[in-house]
Amino acid sequence: MKKIWFFLTIILTLVFIPNIKVKANSYSFYMAERIDGVYYNMYDPATGRLHYQRGMFFRERTTNAFAYCIEPFRVFFDDSTYTEFNPDKLTVEQKNKISAIAHFGYGYKNHTDPKWYAVAQFLIWQVANPEGDYYFTSYLNGPRITLFTEEIKEINKLVNDYFSLPAIANKDYYIVDGSNLVITDENMLIDNFSTLASNVKIENNQVIISNSKIGNNEIYFERKENTYNKPIIFYQSATSQNLVDTGDIPNVKFKINLHVDTTSVNIIKVDKDTKKLIPSGDASLDGAIYELYDANMKKIATITIKDNRAYLKNLNYGTYYLKEIKAGQGYTVNNELIKFNISYDNKDVNLTVLNEVIKSKIKISKKYGSNDNFLPEENITFNIYDKDNKLVKTIVTSVDGVVEVILPYGKYTLKQVNTTDGYTINDPVEFEVLDGKEINFEFKDYKIEVPDTKTNFIKRLILFFIYILC
Amino acid sequence: MLKVTFRITLTFVIILFLLTVVRINDNENVIPKFIINKLDNIQDKIMLLKEEISHEEKNEIGELIINKIGLAEKLYALGSNENNVNKHVTILKESIFPDEENSIVFIAAHSGTGRLAYFKDLNKLKEEDEIILKYKDKKYYYKVESVWEEAKNGFIEVTKENAKQLILTTCSPTNEELQLIVNCIAYKEV
């Protein structure tokens, strides 16, 4: 008995397994509902034959799913056996495009009117056999008419968009830490995509990226076409025209590379004459004020120099201009417009800015005598001290009794060191270099004769009497 | 005629008398004060009468005003007979007048006693005291910058400064061996 059961099982398995397998890969299609008012003519240049037919759906017998014909000049027979296949006679490009038309045709979003089936079928024929001439007619084998212009345009756009990437795809972008990036897609496609990045928003054809981390960030975008939740299948039959149903086409993906870095601008203030950080005289390099402008000369910041420096952190990439509007005390304003660029390959900019100290020529002329006979006083030494009584310069008059020296902004004391015999040393003179004007000291040591001004009574009396007598 | 002869004779007698006294003592302090004052009064009255004769002939060019010591004296042109230390305050010939560049005006006058001792109180001037010099319809205002005394040797030594300058000088009222010098700097003109 057991043996009988065993053989029965073997026989049944051998009988049914092939049938089950055949049934899973076999399909049967039929000519389903007609599409009112739609007639096609299809001219085959290879045979010179003109085919014509009504607009109608092809549907699978079991699932009733619709399908499109991909062999326009071959006859369809109801209930032919179909199997899935890979249409090798079509190029990859043709297969992809036919798939896209099938996807965006009837049943895609609001494409629920049967006309979308007619339009999609029309476009699929054009791709499947581009040699043929396909057109709508007003009735069966009637004259050529133009139909569904807008619908054709829409499906073509959807297909073309599907095969196009946004302009931003696979590009590198560089931003500065703390700044946002807003990218507009010139191809107007980015709204079809989504991203899993939480700091990225896509709206109104723009990608807005904020709070990015320092470093290189890869941001992925994906266009999901999961309207049908099934793949597109091509069907072939030995006795009838081949078909394709609708389904989802592969998702489109791309990424952008976002490079986030820090930037810095170091401004170092230096004395123009000495090229040093130490100011000249009593002047101060600190306190200088700069205005920062962007490339459009729009003021974006005011910067004050402190401890010879100013620092700007994370200034965005771009071109900038720096202009001094106030110099430190004792320095002249530098009117030079300083241009600099910050870019991803020039993130840290060092600027050395110069100020020229206010200077004055000090001219000393030393003479002695009286108006009738003033002589130049040669070899007279003067010491010049700063406000802290520190010796700054020692100068000596020339044979003309003249000596010149240039001093920077500050307070000074001029002290005469020696003198000509018979003359006293002048008192120290304090002076200030304030505005760059020449300062002249003309030391004229007058030595003049004065009358005897002591009242002598006897002399006065004698003169008095002489006066009376006169 | 007889009265005139008598006055002249009396005058000479008095002179001889006084010269005798001086020769003996060689010190004018021995002359009684009342005599000095009397003579000064007489001298002043006569001088005033003489001054009324004609100001124009005297070449008056300005006035020196020092309110602090109650001085307001006319200045006379260089070369004028009135520009004499035995008559008035006197402008010394080295002066450069205040309407000129690098002006420095030297003025000397007697100290001591008597009507001619215009600068008898010059030593009372201190720094910042005001002095006015009228010259050619303008008033030049000076401030005392420094006051000093130096050895009396017939010369004074002054350094020209970078401003209009006025130098007042006289014999030191306190020490016959010294010369008093007041250095003033102009600060405005009207």
Side-chain angles (χ1 to χ4, degrees), chain A residues 269-287 307-308 328-331 355-358 386-387 390 408-409 412:
Chain A
K269 175 66 91 175
V270 169
D271 184 288
K272 185 180 180 184
D273 297 312
T274 64
K275 301 289 185 292
K276 291 181 178 174
L277 297 172
I278 302 164
S280 297
D282 296 342
S284 171
L285 289 163
D286 287 347
D307 297 331
N308 289 87
Q329 189 176 12
Y331 280 91
N355 267 136
E356 186 172 3
V357 74
I358 293 170
D386 66 12
K387 70 178 192 314
K390 183 182 167 189
Y409 179 90
Y412 299 93

PDB file of all heavy atoms in Angstrom, chain A residues 269-287 307-308 328-331 355-358 386-387 390 408-409 412:
ATOM      1  N   LYS A 269      48.020  94.939  11.478  1.00  0.00           N
ATOM      2  CA  LYS A 269      48.309  96.363  11.254  1.00  0.00           C
ATOM      3  C   LYS A 269      49.778  96.638  11.553  1.00  0.00           C
ATOM      4  O   LYS A 269      50.280  96.310  12.624  1.00  0.00           O
ATOM      5  CB  LYS A 269      47.384  97.188  12.155  1.00  0.00           C
ATOM      6  CG  LYS A 269      47.638  98.665  12.144  1.00  0.00           C
ATOM      7  CD  LYS A 269      47.347  99.280  10.817  1.00  0.00           C
ATOM      8  CE  LYS A 269      45.924  99.761  10.716  1.00  0.00           C
ATOM      9  NZ  LYS A 269      45.670 100.459   9.466  1.00  0.00           N
ATOM     10  N   VAL A 270      50.432  97.247  10.576  1.00  0.00           N
ATOM     11  CA  VAL A 270      51.880  97.469  10.668  1.00  0.00           C
ATOM     12  C   VAL A 270      52.194  98.918  10.306  1.00  0.00           C
ATOM     13  O   VAL A 270      51.514  99.515   9.474  1.00  0.00           O
ATOM     14  CB  VAL A 270      52.596  96.492   9.696  1.00  0.00           C
ATOM     15  CG1 VAL A 270      54.050  96.838   9.533  1.00  0.00           C
ATOM     16  CG2 VAL A 270      52.459  95.063  10.180  1.00  0.00           C
ATOM     17  N   ASP A 271      53.223  99.446  10.946  1.00  0.00           N
ATOM     18  CA  ASP A 271      53.698 100.796  10.613  1.00  0.00           C
ATOM     19  C   ASP A 271      54.342 100.751   9.231  1.00  0.00           C
ATOM     20  O   ASP A 271      55.202  99.917   8.960  1.00  0.00           O
ATOM     21  CB  ASP A 271      54.720 101.246  11.664  1.00  0.00           C
ATOM     22  CG  ASP A 271      55.172 102.672  11.433  1.00  0.00           C
ATOM     23  OD1 ASP A 271      55.923 102.909  10.464  1.00  0.00           O
ATOM     24  OD2 ASP A 271      54.788 103.536  12.224  1.00  0.00           O
ATOM     25  N   LYS A 272      53.904 101.646   8.369  1.00  0.00           N
ATOM     26  CA  LYS A 272      54.372 101.621   6.976  1.00  0.00           C
ATOM     27  C   LYS A 272      55.874 101.890   6.867  1.00  0.00           C
ATOM     28  O   LYS A 272      56.554 101.302   6.024  1.00  0.00           O
ATOM     29  CB  LYS A 272      53.599 102.661   6.160  1.00  0.00           C
ATOM     30  CG  LYS A 272      53.912 102.637   4.682  1.00  0.00           C
ATOM     31  CD  LYS A 272      53.106 103.681   3.946  1.00  0.00           C
ATOM     32  CE  LYS A 272      53.433 103.644   2.446  1.00  0.00           C
ATOM     33  NZ  LYS A 272      52.725 104.700   1.730  1.00  0.00           N
ATOM     34  N   ASP A 273      56.370 102.741   7.708  1.00  0.00           N
ATOM     35  CA  ASP A 273      57.780 103.116   7.588  1.00  0.00           C
ATOM     36  C   ASP A 273      58.702 102.066   8.186  1.00  0.00           C
ATOM     37  O   ASP A 273      59.736 101.738   7.616  1.00  0.00           O
ATOM     38  CB  ASP A 273      58.013 104.470   8.277  1.00  0.00           C
ATOM     39  CG  ASP A 273      57.223 105.561   7.591  1.00  0.00           C
ATOM     40  OD1 ASP A 273      57.280 105.627   6.364  1.00  0.00           O
ATOM     41  OD2 ASP A 273      56.539 106.332   8.284  1.00  0.00           O
ATOM     42  N   THR A 274      58.317 101.554   9.342  1.00  0.00           N
ATOM     43  CA  THR A 274      59.217 100.612  10.024  1.00  0.00           C
ATOM     44  C   THR A 274      58.879  99.159   9.693  1.00  0.00           C
ATOM     45  O   THR A 274      59.674  98.270   9.980  1.00  0.00           O
ATOM     46  CB  THR A 274      59.113 100.794  11.548  1.00  0.00           C
ATOM     47  OG1 THR A 274      57.783 100.449  11.971  1.00  0.00           O
ATOM     48  CG2 THR A 274      59.432 102.225  11.946  1.00  0.00           C
ATOM     49  N   LYS A 275      57.720  98.940   9.118  1.00  0.00           N
ATOM     50  CA  LYS A 275      57.225  97.576   8.835  1.00  0.00           C
ATOM     51  C   LYS A 275      57.113  96.742  10.120  1.00  0.00           C
ATOM     52  O   LYS A 275      57.213  95.516  10.094  1.00  0.00           O
ATOM     53  CB  LYS A 275      58.119  96.843   7.823  1.00  0.00           C
ATOM     54  CG  LYS A 275      58.243  97.557   6.492  1.00  0.00           C
ATOM     55  CD  LYS A 275      56.970  97.491   5.691  1.00  0.00           C
ATOM     56  CE  LYS A 275      57.093  98.095   4.310  1.00  0.00           C
ATOM     57  NZ  LYS A 275      57.279  99.535   4.270  1.00  0.00           N
ATOM     58  N   LYS A 276      56.961  97.436  11.217  1.00  0.00           N
ATOM     59  CA  LYS A 276      56.879  96.735  12.495  1.00  0.00           C
ATOM     60  C   LYS A 276      55.517  96.970  13.144  1.00  0.00           C
ATOM     61  O   LYS A 276      54.785  97.888  12.794  1.00  0.00           O
ATOM     62  CB  LYS A 276      57.978  97.223  13.435  1.00  0.00           C
ATOM     63  CG  LYS A 276      59.362  96.786  12.972  1.00  0.00           C
ATOM     64  CD  LYS A 276      60.422  97.274  13.939  1.00  0.00           C
ATOM     65  CE  LYS A 276      61.792  96.798  13.498  1.00  0.00           C
ATOM     66  NZ  LYS A 276      62.859  97.361  14.320  1.00  0.00           N
ATOM     67  N   LEU A 277      55.256  96.117  14.147  1.00  0.00           N
ATOM     68  CA  LEU A 277      53.988  96.233  14.872  1.00  0.00           C
ATOM     69  C   LEU A 277      54.021  97.383  15.869  1.00  0.00           C
ATOM     70  O   LEU A 277      52.977  97.823  16.343  1.00  0.00           O
ATOM     71  CB  LEU A 277      53.702  94.927  15.623  1.00  0.00           C
ATOM     72  CG  LEU A 277      53.520  93.677  14.768  1.00  0.00           C
ATOM     73  CD1 LEU A 277      53.453  92.443  15.644  1.00  0.00           C
ATOM     74  CD2 LEU A 277      52.262  93.777  13.928  1.00  0.00           C
ATOM     75  N   ILE A 278      55.233  97.828  16.177  1.00  0.00           N
ATOM     76  CA  ILE A 278      55.370  98.886  17.185  1.00  0.00           C
ATOM     77  C   ILE A 278      55.093 100.229  16.520  1.00  0.00           C
ATOM     78  O   ILE A 278      55.687 100.556  15.489  1.00  0.00           O
ATOM     79  CB  ILE A 278      56.786  98.877  17.775  1.00  0.00           C
ATOM     80  CG1 ILE A 278      57.081  97.509  18.379  1.00  0.00           C
ATOM     81  CG2 ILE A 278      56.966  99.989  18.792  1.00  0.00           C
ATOM     82  CD1 ILE A 278      58.549  97.251  18.635  1.00  0.00           C
ATOM     83  N   PRO A 279      54.177 101.011  17.090  1.00  0.00           N
ATOM     84  CA  PRO A 279      53.889 102.302  16.476  1.00  0.00           C
ATOM     85  C   PRO A 279      55.050 103.288  16.643  1.00  0.00           C
ATOM     86  O   PRO A 279      55.875 103.135  17.542  1.00  0.00           O
ATOM     87  CB  PRO A 279      52.640 102.777  17.234  1.00  0.00           C
ATOM     88  CG  PRO A 279      52.655 102.034  18.513  1.00  0.00           C
ATOM     89  CD  PRO A 279      53.357 100.740  18.275  1.00  0.00           C
ATOM     90  N   SER A 280      55.086 104.255  15.770  1.00  0.00           N
ATOM     91  CA  SER A 280      56.134 105.274  15.838  1.00  0.00           C
ATOM     92  C   SER A 280      55.696 106.403  16.762  1.00  0.00           C
ATOM     93  O   SER A 280      54.516 106.762  16.813  1.00  0.00           O
ATOM     94  CB  SER A 280      56.402 105.836  14.446  1.00  0.00           C
ATOM     95  OG  SER A 280      56.882 104.831  13.600  1.00  0.00           O
ATOM     96  N   GLY A 281      56.679 106.984  17.462  1.00  0.00           N
ATOM     97  CA  GLY A 281      56.393 108.123  18.327  1.00  0.00           C
ATOM     98  C   GLY A 281      55.315 107.796  19.338  1.00  0.00           C
ATOM     99  O   GLY A 281      55.278 106.709  19.908  1.00  0.00           O
ATOM    100  N   ASP A 282      54.438 108.780  19.540  1.00  0.00           N
ATOM    101  CA  ASP A 282      53.337 108.580  20.481  1.00  0.00           C
ATOM    102  C   ASP A 282      52.088 108.067  19.769  1.00  0.00           C
ATOM    103  O   ASP A 282      51.005 108.039  20.349  1.00  0.00           O
ATOM    104  CB  ASP A 282      52.987 109.900  21.185  1.00  0.00           C
ATOM    105  CG  ASP A 282      54.137 110.398  22.036  1.00  0.00           C
ATOM    106  OD1 ASP A 282      55.022 109.588  22.348  1.00  0.00           O
ATOM    107  OD2 ASP A 282      54.153 111.592  22.373  1.00  0.00           O
ATOM    108  N   ALA A 283      52.241 107.717  18.502  1.00  0.00           N
ATOM    109  CA  ALA A 283      51.069 107.286  17.723  1.00  0.00           C
ATOM    110  C   ALA A 283      50.626 105.886  18.158  1.00  0.00           C
ATOM    111  O   ALA A 283      51.320 105.200  18.904  1.00  0.00           O
ATOM    112  CB  ALA A 283      51.409 107.298  16.237  1.00  0.00           C
ATOM    113  N   SER A 284      49.453 105.524  17.694  1.00  0.00           N
ATOM    114  CA  SER A 284      48.913 104.202  18.034  1.00  0.00           C
ATOM    115  C   SER A 284      48.351 103.544  16.777  1.00  0.00           C
ATOM    116  O   SER A 284      47.554 104.146  16.056  1.00  0.00           O
ATOM    117  CB  SER A 284      47.805 104.350  19.081  1.00  0.00           C
ATOM    118  OG  SER A 284      47.157 103.111  19.248  1.00  0.00           O
ATOM    119  N   LEU A 285      48.781 102.332  16.538  1.00  0.00           N
ATOM    120  CA  LEU A 285      48.226 101.576  15.403  1.00  0.00           C
ATOM    121  C   LEU A 285      46.850 101.033  15.744  1.00  0.00           C
ATOM    122  O   LEU A 285      46.035 100.746  14.861  1.00  0.00           O
ATOM    123  CB  LEU A 285      49.169 100.428  15.028  1.00  0.00           C
ATOM    124  CG  LEU A 285      50.481 100.863  14.367  1.00  0.00           C
ATOM    125  CD1 LEU A 285      51.511  99.751  14.417  1.00  0.00           C
ATOM    126  CD2 LEU A 285      50.246 101.296  12.937  1.00  0.00           C
ATOM    127  N   ASP A 286      46.593 100.865  17.017  1.00  0.00           N
ATOM    128  CA  ASP A 286      45.281 100.380  17.451  1.00  0.00           C
ATOM    129  C   ASP A 286      44.225 101.475  17.286  1.00  0.00           C
ATOM    130  O   ASP A 286      44.546 102.655  17.269  1.00  0.00           O
ATOM    131  CB  ASP A 286      45.328  99.943  18.915  1.00  0.00           C
ATOM    132  CG  ASP A 286      46.075  98.637  19.077  1.00  0.00           C
ATOM    133  OD1 ASP A 286      46.329  97.981  18.054  1.00  0.00           O
ATOM    134  OD2 ASP A 286      46.405  98.290  20.218  1.00  0.00           O
ATOM    135  N   GLY A 287      42.992 101.040  17.220  1.00  0.00           N
ATOM    136  CA  GLY A 287      41.888 101.997  17.112  1.00  0.00           C
ATOM    137  C   GLY A 287      41.538 102.321  15.677  1.00  0.00           C
ATOM    138  O   GLY A 287      40.562 103.031  15.426  1.00  0.00           O
ATOM    139  N   ASP A 307      45.252  95.548  19.464  1.00  0.00           N
ATOM    140  CA  ASP A 307      46.517  94.808  19.601  1.00  0.00           C
ATOM    141  C   ASP A 307      47.096  94.464  18.231  1.00  0.00           C
ATOM    142  O   ASP A 307      47.541  93.345  17.977  1.00  0.00           O
ATOM    143  CB  ASP A 307      46.311  93.523  20.412  1.00  0.00           C
ATOM    144  CG  ASP A 307      45.863  93.820  21.835  1.00  0.00           C
ATOM    145  OD1 ASP A 307      46.247  94.901  22.336  1.00  0.00           O
ATOM    146  OD2 ASP A 307      45.129  93.010  22.414  1.00  0.00           O
ATOM    147  N   ASN A 308      47.029  95.437  17.349  1.00  0.00           N
ATOM    148  CA  ASN A 308      47.570  95.335  15.986  1.00  0.00           C
ATOM    149  C   ASN A 308      46.804  94.359  15.096  1.00  0.00           C
ATOM    150  O   ASN A 308      47.226  94.096  13.976  1.00  0.00           O
ATOM    151  CB  ASN A 308      49.052  94.901  15.987  1.00  0.00           C
ATOM    152  CG  ASN A 308      49.949  95.995  16.501  1.00  0.00           C
ATOM    153  OD1 ASN A 308      50.149  96.085  17.693  1.00  0.00           O
ATOM    154  ND2 ASN A 308      50.458  96.815  15.623  1.00  0.00           N
ATOM    155  N   GLY A 328      44.515 104.907  13.426  1.00  0.00           N
ATOM    156  CA  GLY A 328      44.858 105.050  14.831  1.00  0.00           C
ATOM    157  C   GLY A 328      45.410 106.447  15.078  1.00  0.00           C
ATOM    158  O   GLY A 328      45.854 107.126  14.147  1.00  0.00           O
ATOM    159  N   GLN A 329      45.409 106.841  16.336  1.00  0.00           N
ATOM    160  CA  GLN A 329      45.854 108.197  16.675  1.00  0.00           C
ATOM    161  C   GLN A 329      47.286 108.406  16.189  1.00  0.00           C
ATOM    162  O   GLN A 329      48.171 107.586  16.440  1.00  0.00           O
ATOM    163  CB  GLN A 329      45.787 108.400  18.182  1.00  0.00           C
ATOM    164  CG  GLN A 329      46.028 109.858  18.574  1.00  0.00           C
ATOM    165  CD  GLN A 329      45.866 110.057  20.061  1.00  0.00           C
ATOM    166  OE1 GLN A 329      45.792 109.116  20.831  1.00  0.00           O
ATOM    167  NE2 GLN A 329      45.814 111.300  20.487  1.00  0.00           N
ATOM    168  N   GLY A 330      47.473 109.497  15.457  1.00  0.00           N
ATOM    169  CA  GLY A 330      48.816 109.833  15.003  1.00  0.00           C
ATOM    170  C   GLY A 330      49.178 109.232  13.663  1.00  0.00           C
ATOM    171  O   GLY A 330      50.281 109.459  13.166  1.00  0.00           O
ATOM    172  N   TYR A 331      48.248 108.484  13.077  1.00  0.00           N
ATOM    173  CA  TYR A 331      48.512 107.914  11.750  1.00  0.00           C
ATOM    174  C   TYR A 331      47.545 108.526  10.737  1.00  0.00           C
ATOM    175  O   TYR A 331      46.440 108.950  11.097  1.00  0.00           O
ATOM    176  CB  TYR A 331      48.341 106.390  11.764  1.00  0.00           C
ATOM    177  CG  TYR A 331      49.539 105.667  12.332  1.00  0.00           C
ATOM    178  CD1 TYR A 331      49.616 105.372  13.690  1.00  0.00           C
ATOM    179  CD2 TYR A 331      50.602 105.317  11.516  1.00  0.00           C
ATOM    180  CE1 TYR A 331      50.734 104.731  14.220  1.00  0.00           C
ATOM    181  CE2 TYR A 331      51.713 104.678  12.031  1.00  0.00           C
ATOM    182  CZ  TYR A 331      51.775 104.384  13.376  1.00  0.00           C
ATOM    183  OH  TYR A 331      52.882 103.756  13.875  1.00  0.00           O
ATOM    184  N   ASN A 355      49.819 101.633   7.839  1.00  0.00           N
ATOM    185  CA  ASN A 355      49.475 103.024   8.129  1.00  0.00           C
ATOM    186  C   ASN A 355      50.763 103.828   8.224  1.00  0.00           C
ATOM    187  O   ASN A 355      51.757 103.366   8.786  1.00  0.00           O
ATOM    188  CB  ASN A 355      48.721 103.160   9.453  1.00  0.00           C
ATOM    189  CG  ASN A 355      47.228 103.121   9.279  1.00  0.00           C
ATOM    190  OD1 ASN A 355      46.532 102.454  10.028  1.00  0.00           O
ATOM    191  ND2 ASN A 355      46.716 103.819   8.292  1.00  0.00           N
ATOM    192  N   GLU A 356      50.691 105.001   7.651  1.00  0.00           N
ATOM    193  CA  GLU A 356      51.864 105.883   7.704  1.00  0.00           C
ATOM    194  C   GLU A 356      51.665 106.883   8.836  1.00  0.00           C
ATOM    195  O   GLU A 356      50.636 107.560   8.911  1.00  0.00           O
ATOM    196  CB  GLU A 356      52.034 106.614   6.372  1.00  0.00           C
ATOM    197  CG  GLU A 356      53.315 107.419   6.320  1.00  0.00           C
ATOM    198  CD  GLU A 356      53.570 107.993   4.934  1.00  0.00           C
ATOM    199  OE1 GLU A 356      52.716 107.807   4.048  1.00  0.00           O
ATOM    200  OE2 GLU A 356      54.617 108.633   4.767  1.00  0.00           O
ATOM    201  N   VAL A 357      52.659 106.948   9.691  1.00  0.00           N
ATOM    202  CA  VAL A 357      52.555 107.847  10.838  1.00  0.00           C
ATOM    203  C   VAL A 357      52.654 109.293  10.363  1.00  0.00           C
ATOM    204  O   VAL A 357      53.316 109.599   9.359  1.00  0.00           O
ATOM    205  CB  VAL A 357      53.658 107.523  11.878  1.00  0.00           C
ATOM    206  CG1 VAL A 357      55.020 107.991  11.418  1.00  0.00           C
ATOM    207  CG2 VAL A 357      53.301 108.104  13.237  1.00  0.00           C
ATOM    208  N   ILE A 358      51.977 110.170  11.075  1.00  0.00           N
ATOM    209  CA  ILE A 358      52.100 111.597  10.790  1.00  0.00           C
ATOM    210  C   ILE A 358      53.517 112.019  11.171  1.00  0.00           C
ATOM    211  O   ILE A 358      53.995 111.703  12.259  1.00  0.00           O
ATOM    212  CB  ILE A 358      51.053 112.395  11.602  1.00  0.00           C
ATOM    213  CG1 ILE A 358      49.647 112.055  11.119  1.00  0.00           C
ATOM    214  CG2 ILE A 358      51.335 113.887  11.532  1.00  0.00           C
ATOM    215  CD1 ILE A 358      48.536 112.589  12.006  1.00  0.00           C
ATOM    216  N   ASP A 386      61.597 112.320  24.132  1.00  0.00           N
ATOM    217  CA  ASP A 386      60.174 112.042  23.973  1.00  0.00           C
ATOM    218  C   ASP A 386      59.434 112.362  25.270  1.00  0.00           C
ATOM    219  O   ASP A 386      60.030 112.879  26.225  1.00  0.00           O
ATOM    220  CB  ASP A 386      59.941 110.594  23.512  1.00  0.00           C
ATOM    221  CG  ASP A 386      60.347 109.571  24.554  1.00  0.00           C
ATOM    222  OD1 ASP A 386      60.600 109.956  25.713  1.00  0.00           O
ATOM    223  OD2 ASP A 386      60.419 108.381  24.202  1.00  0.00           O
ATOM    224  N   LYS A 387      58.149 112.027  25.295  1.00  0.00           N
ATOM    225  CA  LYS A 387      57.337 112.423  26.460  1.00  0.00           C
ATOM    226  C   LYS A 387      57.777 111.697  27.739  1.00  0.00           C
ATOM    227  O   LYS A 387      57.470 112.146  28.845  1.00  0.00           O
ATOM    228  CB  LYS A 387      55.850 112.159  26.178  1.00  0.00           C
ATOM    229  CG  LYS A 387      55.446 110.707  26.109  1.00  0.00           C
ATOM    230  CD  LYS A 387      53.951 110.616  25.888  1.00  0.00           C
ATOM    231  CE  LYS A 387      53.373 109.236  26.092  1.00  0.00           C
ATOM    232  NZ  LYS A 387      54.063 108.116  25.506  1.00  0.00           N
ATOM    233  N   LYS A 390      62.920 110.208  27.247  1.00  0.00           N
ATOM    234  CA  LYS A 390      63.907 109.301  26.660  1.00  0.00           C
ATOM    235  C   LYS A 390      64.503 109.987  25.431  1.00  0.00           C
ATOM    236  O   LYS A 390      63.763 110.531  24.601  1.00  0.00           O
ATOM    237  CB  LYS A 390      63.204 108.004  26.261  1.00  0.00           C
ATOM    238  CG  LYS A 390      64.125 106.949  25.711  1.00  0.00           C
ATOM    239  CD  LYS A 390      63.284 105.738  25.305  1.00  0.00           C
ATOM    240  CE  LYS A 390      64.112 104.794  24.457  1.00  0.00           C
ATOM    241  NZ  LYS A 390      63.270 103.739  23.874  1.00  0.00           N
ATOM    242  N   PRO A 408      58.239 111.551  14.180  1.00  0.00           N
ATOM    243  CA  PRO A 408      56.854 111.071  14.101  1.00  0.00           C
ATOM    244  C   PRO A 408      55.978 111.748  15.150  1.00  0.00           C
ATOM    245  O   PRO A 408      56.484 112.403  16.086  1.00  0.00           O
ATOM    246  CB  PRO A 408      56.987 109.573  14.375  1.00  0.00           C
ATOM    247  CG  PRO A 408      58.202 109.456  15.216  1.00  0.00           C
ATOM    248  CD  PRO A 408      59.126 110.558  14.799  1.00  0.00           C
ATOM    249  N   TYR A 409      54.687 111.518  14.964  1.00  0.00           N
ATOM    250  CA  TYR A 409      53.663 112.066  15.862  1.00  0.00           C
ATOM    251  C   TYR A 409      54.059 111.884  17.335  1.00  0.00           C
ATOM    252  O   TYR A 409      54.448 110.796  17.754  1.00  0.00           O
ATOM    253  CB  TYR A 409      52.361 111.321  15.593  1.00  0.00           C
ATOM    254  CG  TYR A 409      51.186 111.734  16.435  1.00  0.00           C
ATOM    255  CD1 TYR A 409      50.337 112.747  16.026  1.00  0.00           C
ATOM    256  CD2 TYR A 409      50.920 111.092  17.634  1.00  0.00           C
ATOM    257  CE1 TYR A 409      49.249 113.107  16.791  1.00  0.00           C
ATOM    258  CE2 TYR A 409      49.828 111.456  18.406  1.00  0.00           C
ATOM    259  CZ  TYR A 409      49.002 112.457  17.976  1.00  0.00           C
ATOM    260  OH  TYR A 409      47.937 112.811  18.740  1.00  0.00           O
ATOM    261  N   TYR A 412      57.458 116.234  22.340  1.00  0.00           N
ATOM    262  CA  TYR A 412      58.911 116.208  22.477  1.00  0.00           C
ATOM    263  C   TYR A 412      59.388 117.429  23.269  1.00  0.00           C
ATOM    264  O   TYR A 412      58.670 118.427  23.406  1.00  0.00           O
ATOM    265  CB  TYR A 412      59.579 116.230  21.102  1.00  0.00           C
ATOM    266  CG  TYR A 412      59.204 115.051  20.248  1.00  0.00           C
ATOM    267  CD1 TYR A 412      58.130 115.120  19.362  1.00  0.00           C
ATOM    268  CD2 TYR A 412      59.900 113.848  20.334  1.00  0.00           C
ATOM    269  CE1 TYR A 412      57.766 114.027  18.591  1.00  0.00           C
ATOM    270  CE2 TYR A 412      59.556 112.752  19.561  1.00  0.00           C
ATOM    271  CZ  TYR A 412      58.486 112.848  18.701  1.00  0.00           C
ATOM    272  OH  TYR A 412      58.126 111.769  17.950  1.00  0.00           O
TER     273      TYR A 412
END
